[in-house]
């Protein structure tokens, strides 16, 4: 199975949200992995994804966060 | 993990800011200026002698409180992180432009909300300007606007913001002869240091936890139909309005408003500059202070730009006064609008070329 990976590390909000949204819109459903480097981006992408009906699970990888979005 | 992202907390943040704004005015701050990040940074620029407008010189402890409050909170919640390297020079001038627009209107977006809550209808003229600026910025964001990613920086970078805030606090308390303190005018209207500092620390905590931002409030509505941040400034407005009505400081009208002028077109265009520059910089002046406390050196550079902008505006005679906007100030507004549109275009083209959001999405085979 293909997982889309969106690397937003280093970008500050709202850019990660725009990038993640574009990926979610393009995919429609499936699994998307979003990488972010701030807690703000983690929270905002999580909120945006849930708003679009995607489930979110988060893991912390050292300094960064990986969000797994599924729908 | 304890995180104040639920709606209740952002509303609480706005309400606390509203209550403290009213309390600060009652205790001595200028009218409708419980909080004004642009005005306070301008006062600090004056206190340091970077401009010599004698009526607006004071080291406002609210500013130091905000930075230090955010710093301590970020440390406590393990969100303090030394980052930077995302277009420092552009950010410096976005800070400068934000201050320029704010000093044409006579207030940052926060004070615009507070002026509105005090019945100042000039703020009602400026508000659509602010929203227009943000709307233009959102168009650029949708076109792919970016200043590029920030990367980890050597730790020492991130401590300069909080250390500078602490240093300013020491200068305020020691009051050496080379620091300027207004004897009259808005700069002489001050709440007690302990209250001003304490309120700054408290708001710094709330703002760090909730990401409160006056620009983000409108941007998220325009961009995502997301009213999360907006509920914060709505709460701020309602609480400050109630406070003004309660304490008899609500006066509806365009004329005779405190620290304000009635040149509507320039109020509108000036606040438009703040809105557009804030979107391009990723945060309103207050948000930049909070980010500085979190170790974001790009935000620290933006704050330096704000201070520089204040010095330029007063030294060149471009800052508005209750008498209105000078001719130079009006030319400046037009030039800065054009510069911001150019920066927005340039950032959008850069974004398309380097980090195209669609191009960023790559497929990996997980099977």
């Amino acid at each position: 199975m293909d997982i889309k990976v969106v690397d937003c590390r280093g970008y500050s909000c709202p850019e990660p949200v725009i990038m993640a949204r574009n990926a979610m819109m393009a995919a429609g459903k499936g699994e998307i992995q979003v990488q972010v480097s701030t807690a703000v981006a983690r929270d905002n992408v999580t909120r945006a994804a849930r708003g679009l009906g995607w489930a979110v699970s988060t893991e912390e990888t050292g300094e960064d966060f990986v969000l797994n979005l599924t729908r | 993990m304890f995180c104040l992202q639920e709606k209740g907390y952002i509303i609480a943040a706005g309400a606390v800011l509203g209550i403290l704004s009213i309390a600060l005015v009652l205790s001595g701050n200028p009218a409708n200026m419980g909080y004004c990040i642009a005005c306070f940074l301008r006062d600090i620029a004056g206190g340091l002698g970077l401009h010599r407008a004698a009526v607006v010189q004071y080291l406002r402890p609210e500013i130091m409180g905000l930075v230090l409050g955010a710093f301590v909170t970020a440390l406590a919640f393990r969100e303090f992180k030394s980052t930077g390297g995302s277009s420092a020079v552009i950010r410096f001038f976005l800070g400068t432009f934000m201050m320029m627009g704010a000093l044409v209107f006579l207030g940052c977006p926060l004070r615009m909300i507070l002026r509105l809550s005090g019945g100042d209808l000039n703020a009602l003229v400026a508000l659509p300007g602010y929203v227009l600026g943000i709307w233009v910025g959102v168009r650029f964001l949708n076109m792919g606007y970016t200043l590029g990613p920030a990367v980890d920086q050597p730790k020492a970078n991130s401590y300069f913001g909080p250390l500078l805030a602490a240093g300013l606090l020491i200068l305020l308390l020691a009051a050496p002869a080379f620091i300027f303190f207004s004897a009259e005018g808005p700069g002489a209207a001050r709440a007690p240091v302990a209250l001003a500092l304490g309120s700054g620390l408290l708001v710094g905590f709330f703002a760090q936890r909730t990401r409160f931002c006056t620009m983000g409030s409108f941007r998220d509505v325009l961009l995502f139909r997301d009213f999360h941040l907006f509920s914060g400034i709505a709460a701020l407005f309602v609480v400050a309005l109630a406070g003004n009505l309660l304490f008899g400081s609500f006066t509806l009208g365009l004329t005779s408003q405190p620290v304000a002028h009635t040149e509507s077109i320039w109020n509108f265009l000036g606040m438009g500059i703040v809105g557009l520059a804030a979107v391009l910089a990723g945060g309103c002046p207050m948000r930049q202070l909070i980010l500085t406390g979190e170790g974001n050196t790009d935000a620290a550079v933006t704050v330096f730009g704000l201070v520089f902008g204040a010095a330029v505006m007063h030294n060149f005679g471009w800052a508005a006064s209750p008498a209105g906007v000078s001719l130079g100030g009006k030319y400046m507004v037009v030039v800065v609008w054009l510069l911001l549109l150019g920066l927005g275009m340039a950032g959008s083209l850069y974004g398309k070329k380097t980090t195209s959001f669609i191009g960023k999405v790559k497929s990996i085979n997980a099977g």
Side-chain angles (χ1 to χ4, degrees):
Chain A
M1 183 176 101
D2 272 358
I3 300 179
K4 293 238 184 276
V5 176
V6 188
D7 183 0
C8 311
R9 286 173 297 175
Y11 290 91
S12 50
C13 278
E15 289 162 39
V17 182
I18 297 175
M19 292 156 90
R21 270 176 68 99
N22 286 348
M24 284 184 279
M25 303 288 202
K29 60 185 175 67
E31 200 170 339
I32 299 174
Q33 193 182 79
V34 183
Q35 301 169 348
V36 297
S37 47
T38 64
V40 185
R42 176 199 64 201
D43 296 346
N44 288 345
V45 170
T46 301
R47 207 166 59 236
R50 292 201 173 127
L52 288 173
W54 291 65
V56 184
S57 70
T58 309
E59 45 187 301
E60 209 170 326
T61 55
E63 292 275 280
D64 301 314
F65 302 95
V66 174
L67 288 83
N68 293 302
L69 317 181
T70 47
R71 189 184 176 192
Chain B
M1 185 180 294
F2 176 64
C3 185
L4 307 186
Q5 58 171 313
E6 293 83 7
K7 203 138 206 138
Y9 292 107
I10 184 82
I11 291 173
V16 166
L17 193 52
I19 292 167
L20 289 172
S21 297
I22 298 296
L24 285 166
V25 172
L26 288 175
S27 329
N29 270 19
N32 292 347
M33 209 189 279
Y35 267 93
C36 172
I37 307 308
C39 315
F40 291 178
L41 284 171
R42 183 264 321 272
D43 292 350
I44 288 176
L48 296 173
L50 300 177
H51 70 71
R52 301 299 164 101
V55 291
V56 283
Q57 297 173 324
Y58 178 46
L59 303 184
R60 292 271 175 197
E62 290 90 339
I63 297 288
M64 288 78 102
L66 284 170
V67 175
L68 293 172
F71 171 62
V72 172
T73 309
L75 278 181
F77 288 91
R78 291 177 46 245
E79 287 182 3
F80 186 79
K81 204 168 171 183
S82 184
T83 61
S86 164
S87 299
V89 173
I90 291 177
R91 286 181 192 275
F92 181 91
F93 282 101
L94 287 174
T96 302
F97 296 156
M98 267 196 274
M99 181 61 88
M100 289 175 147
L103 291 184
V104 165
F105 165 67
L106 293 177
C108 72
L110 200 52
R111 180 163 192 252
M112 175 179 67
I113 307 290
L114 292 173
R115 280 173 62 172
L116 205 55
S117 74
D120 181 344
L121 293 178
N122 297 297
L124 196 59
V125 174
L127 181 63
Y130 189 52
V131 175
L132 171 75
I134 294 169
W135 182 84
V136 173
V138 165
R139 298 275 82 72
F140 287 128
L141 286 174
N142 280 332
M143 285 161 65
Y145 172 89
T146 181
L147 287 177
V151 293
D152 287 352
Q153 300 287 315
K155 269 268 180 268
N157 282 285
S158 56
Y159 290 103
F160 267 88
L163 277 175
L164 273 171
L168 284 172
L169 210 51
I170 292 167
L171 285 175
L172 169 67
L173 297 174
F178 57 81
I179 297 295
F180 295 81
F181 292 98
S182 294
E184 52 174 8
R190 306 158 190 161
V193 171
L195 176 66
L197 179 66
S199 82
L201 290 168
L202 192 61
V203 173
F205 164 79
F206 273 102
Q208 200 281 334
R209 294 318 298 153
T210 61
R211 340 290 184 204
F212 187 94
C213 176
T214 64
M215 177 278 294
S217 303
F218 294 101
R219 180 199 61 202
D220 287 357
V221 171
L222 292 171
L223 196 57
F224 307 129
R225 305 276 170 259
D226 175 356
F227 286 81
H228 176 76
L229 288 176
F230 187 83
S231 54
I233 62 165
L236 163 65
F237 172 73
V238 170
V239 169
L241 177 67
N244 280 320
L245 289 170
L246 189 65
F247 293 104
S249 42
F250 181 86
T251 325
L252 195 67
L254 278 166
T255 52
S256 309
Q257 292 291 348
V259 203
H261 64 77
T262 56
E263 296 187 18
S264 294
I265 180 78
W266 303 104
N267 281 330
F268 179 88
L269 288 175
M271 210 29 119
I273 286 177
V274 183
L276 176 50
V279 175
L280 300 185
C284 71
M286 178 163 136
R287 182 83 187 125
Q288 301 293 344
L289 286 175
I290 302 301
L291 288 170
T292 299
E294 293 177 11
N296 184 327
T297 64
D298 288 330
V301 169
T302 312
V303 173
F304 299 154
L306 282 159
V307 173
F308 175 74
V312 168
M313 288 296 279
H314 282 283
N315 288 342
F316 293 5
W318 293 346
S321 69
V325 186
S326 68
L327 186 63
K330 293 172 182 172
Y331 282 126
M332 182 279 298
V333 167
V334 174
V335 171
V336 168
W337 256 104
L338 294 175
L339 285 171
L340 285 172
L341 292 173
L343 273 175
M345 285 307 301
S348 305
L349 291 173
Y350 172 80
K352 267 199 189 114
K353 205 170 67 187
T354 57
T355 61
S356 164
F357 294 145
I358 300 301
K360 266 278 176 189
V361 183
K362 50 180 184 275
S363 258
I364 59 164
N365 196 324

